Structure formats: C-alpha cells, structure tokens
Amino acid sequence: MQILLALLIGAGFGAMLDRIGATNPSVLTGMLTLRRLNLAKTIMMAIGTGSILMFGGQMLGLVDVAHMSVKSAYVGVLIGGLMLGVGWAISGFCPGTGVCAAATGRKDAVFFISGGLLGAAAYMVTYPAWKASGLLEDILGGKVTLGDVPGSKFDGLFAVPGDILGILIGVIFILVAYVLPHSLSGLDKGAEVPAE
Amino acid sequence: MALDWKIGGVLLGLVFFAAVLLVKPIGVSTQFVILDGIVADVASPDFITQTEDGFTSTNAYMAKSDGKYAKSAANPLNYSFVFVLAMMIGAAASSYLRGGFAAASRLPDVWVANYGNTPLKRYMVAFVGGFIALYGARLAGGCTSGHMMSGMMQTSISGYLFTAATFAAAVPTAMIMYKRG
C-alpha cells in the first residue's frame, strides 16, 4: 500500500513539477533573477493551498495531525540553505527538479545529479566535523511551528492556535501570489526566453 | 508551455495535501544519501550491517538516528526512495505528453543566451552546482521540497529560515551569472 502511494503521489509530484515549468533551468533562473516570477506565484499558490487544506482538514478531523513532519532549526539550516541557493542558482536545478529534469531528457541534469551524489557523499564523510562544531544543535526550540498545532508533538514558537494561524498564513501566501508582479526586474526584457 | 500559475499552483497544492493526508510531507534530498548508501554497500558489503534491533553503518551519518538511513539503504523498496523514482516516471510522462523531449535535448536557453553553445562548460557548472546544492541540502537537513515547500506549508520555523537563506544566496548569484535571458 505504501509503495503504491509512493508511486501515485511521486508521479503526481514529478508530473506537476514538469507542468509548472520547474524542470526547465531557464524557468528557474528566470525566477531567481526576478525577471519572470510566474513560477514563484505558482509555488506560493501551491504552499497556500496545501496549508489551508492541511490545517483545515486537521480542524475537521479529516487529516491525521501525526502525519506532520517538522524539521529541526539549527545554524546549519542557514549555512546549508546559503549553499543550496548558490548551487541552485548556478545550475538552474534543485534536487527534486534536477531528478525530474533528467527524466525529461536533460543531459545537464544528469551531471547535476552526479555532482549531487558526490556532494551528499562528501557531507556523509564530513558529518562528524559538523556535529562536533555545535552548528547542528537546535536553535529557537528545534522542531517548532509558528503556532501551537493542537494534537501535534511540535511546540509553537508563539502561544496561539497553530491550525488557525496556519490557515491565515496560507491565505497570505495566496494573496501574495496574486499581488506579486510577473517581473520585478527590467533587466534585458527584450531577450525573453521563448516558451518551450 | 507551463500551466497558468493559478491552475498549476492549486494542482501542485493538491499534491502536497495528498502527501500529508495519506502518508507524510514530500521530501527529496535524503534519497541522494540513500542511493550513495546503496552504492557504498555494494562496493563494500560491510558498509551497512544488520544489528539486533535494526541497521547501522560504518559511516556516522548513515548510522545516526538509530540507523534510519542505513535501514532505508538496506531496503530500497521503501516509500521515500520509490517516491523519487516515481517522480522521474511522472516527469517523463508529462514531458512526453506535452512534447517536451526535443526542447530538453538542447542546452537551456538562458545558458545559451549568456555563454553560447558550450555544452562542456554547462555540464561542468551543472556538476559543481549539484555538488554544492546537495552538500548544502544535507547540512540543512532538507531541500526546496522538504524545507521550502513542505516546511512552509506546515508553518515550520526551519522552513522559513531555510527559504530566507536560500533566496539570499540564490538571487544575487543568479543575477551575477545570468545577466541575459
């Protein structure tokens, strides 16, 4: 059953990443240079939709709160995030979209994945040094959500109902998706990448 | 041609929701470690070993959290690993249906606009980008999927921290490297 769900949801996720343009490095780069923000609008819409459905479903008792999985906050999240940002920006791929792009026939994505496997292996080898550095120690309470989500094992940073706050933030994501312009950068608009 | 952002956004949001409703939030980058573990264990069978109450590894990262990564690498037919393989099937099917393979066989337009038709250079940059991105993702404990999409969907503090750091680095880097296109 789990494997069947992995096949269905995974295929759905991969197909959607392709349909929103995220398997194309030109689309990802267009977002990161702030020239074409369509993808940013799409992703904010998706996060907002997901939040409202998940927290709404929890309040109605339809979604198991135990399915939530919140990751720890630590200084390494910031350092790793900066690194991922650089790797993403220079290549136009992130881990998920790189894997999907390779499946759509992009040869450069195969190089991205190869580099990624080596990078992950390098982290595996250097992990003890990071562990010893203390930069993997929890900050801000570790596995924490913005508000207190009823029934979840995670604490809230603020003592407010986390499900209601989650729906509100979901609405804000969707509103920002609406008001975000299609481009924030006038740089070289003439050289628009043609639709593929 | 990409979907309209409203339609694409709602559909992608439904996939996020389906994942957390039925199993757990989406994540990808851990599976690079799992594949590394599978390969390492083939190359050197002592890399992952079974213990009385699970699995462990000679590598401290594979062995952490009671050997959960070692266990996944020892049993690749698990939810999260199959999920990533299925992503490839879904993306390939989608690209086939929209006729995207011809365009994907060329270098990205934004690359050609800035650096011309230089495949070797492009492959090197993609390789280095992959190395930095996955090293960073493992240090951060997640990537664009697990931290940014799934994390912010759950109002996770780590998701907001990760997203802020990622864009703080990605936007200037992309602007410097890709001045055209």
Side-chain angles (χ1 to χ4, degrees):
Chain A
M1 187 61 194
Q2 286 270 306
I3 298 300
L4 185 66
L5 288 173
L7 285 169
L8 288 174
I9 306 169
F13 185 46
M16 281 315 301
L17 286 180
D18 182 65
R19 291 302 287 136
I20 63 174
T23 53
N24 182 349
S26 299
V27 174
L28 284 174
T29 305
M31 174 175 78
L32 295 179
T33 55
L34 310 182
R35 285 172 211 155
R36 292 176 297 277
L37 295 175
N38 220 41
L39 183 64
K41 289 164 82 78
T42 307
I43 292 172
M44 297 188 83
M45 186 73 180
I47 294 173
T49 304
S51 275
I52 293 170
L53 290 174
M54 185 189 78
F55 286 115
Q58 287 178 359
M59 291 173 80
L60 297 171
L62 302 171
V63 177
D64 188 349
V65 181
H67 283 186
M68 283 180 78
S69 172
V70 172
K71 295 173 186 286
S72 298
Y74 49 88
V75 176
V77 172
L78 292 168
I79 305 171
L82 290 168
M83 289 183 72
L84 182 127
V86 170
W88 182 17
I90 70 173
S91 65
F93 296 120
C94 52
T97 60
V99 167
C100 289
T104 69
R106 287 195 187 273
K107 214 168 146 190
D108 47 355
V110 177
F111 285 86
F112 176 86
I113 294 174
S114 311
L117 287 168
L118 199 66
Y123 183 72
M124 289 163 70
V125 172
T126 51
Y127 168 75
W130 286 106
K131 184 87 185 148
S133 72
L135 295 171
L136 307 184
E137 302 294 324
D138 284 351
I139 56 169
L140 300 167
K143 295 185 177 185
V144 162
T145 47
L146 217 45
D148 262 318
V149 180
S152 89
K153 58 183 173 180
F154 309 109
D155 288 330
L157 189 63
F158 302 104
V160 291
D163 44 5
I164 297 172
L165 184 63
I167 291 176
L168 271 176
I169 288 178
V171 171
I172 291 171
F173 264 94
I174 292 175
L175 288 178
V176 174
Y178 267 94
V179 299
L180 193 68
H182 285 278
S183 178
L184 274 175
S185 159
L187 276 172
D188 212 9
K189 264 196 180 162
E192 282 251 332
V193 174
E196 283 180 10
Chain B
M1 185 65 192
L3 284 177
D4 174 77
W5 68 268
K6 293 189 208 80
I7 298 167
V10 168
L11 290 175
L12 183 61
L14 287 173
V15 175
F16 294 167
F17 176 63
V20 78
L21 172 69
L22 299 169
V23 191
K24 62 175 182 175
I26 287 170
V28 174
S29 69
T30 304
Q31 304 317 310
F32 280 76
V33 171
I34 303 306
L35 183 54
D36 279 337
I38 294 169
V39 172
D41 196 47
V42 169
S44 148
D46 293 338
F47 186 71
I48 296 168
T49 44
Q50 196 152 11
T51 62
E52 268 176 34
D53 38 26
F55 289 87
T56 190
S57 169
T58 50
N59 176 269
Y61 190 62
M62 287 297 289
K64 85 179 181 96
S65 309
D66 297 324
K68 65 174 179 181
Y69 293 162
K71 185 183 170 200
S72 297
N75 305 286
L77 271 183
N78 64 72
Y79 176 83
S80 301
F81 195 71
V82 172
F83 185 92
V84 174
L85 298 179
M87 282 171 67
M88 298 183 78
I89 298 170
S94 162
S95 181
Y96 177 76
L97 290 174
R98 68 179 170 84
F101 279 93
S105 69
R106 297 190 298 267
L107 291 180
D109 292 330
V110 71
W111 177 268
V112 176
N114 286 277
Y115 299 102
N117 190 20
T118 51
L120 215 60
K121 200 169 160 192
R122 167 63 186 159
Y123 297 151
M124 276 169 54
V125 167
F127 184 88
V128 172
F131 185 97
I132 302 171
L134 265 301
Y135 190 99
R138 289 334 301 159
L139 172 56
C143 65
T144 337
S145 303
H147 260 315
M148 195 181 287
M149 295 174 172
S150 300
M152 290 205 295
M153 177 183 83
Q154 300 175 92
T155 68
S156 149
I157 300 303
S158 56
Y160 298 120
L161 291 178
F162 176 84
T163 304
T166 300
F167 280 100
V171 169
T173 306
M175 283 185 156
I176 291 165
M177 227 183 123
Y178 298 100
K179 294 200 164 61
R180 285 188 290 270

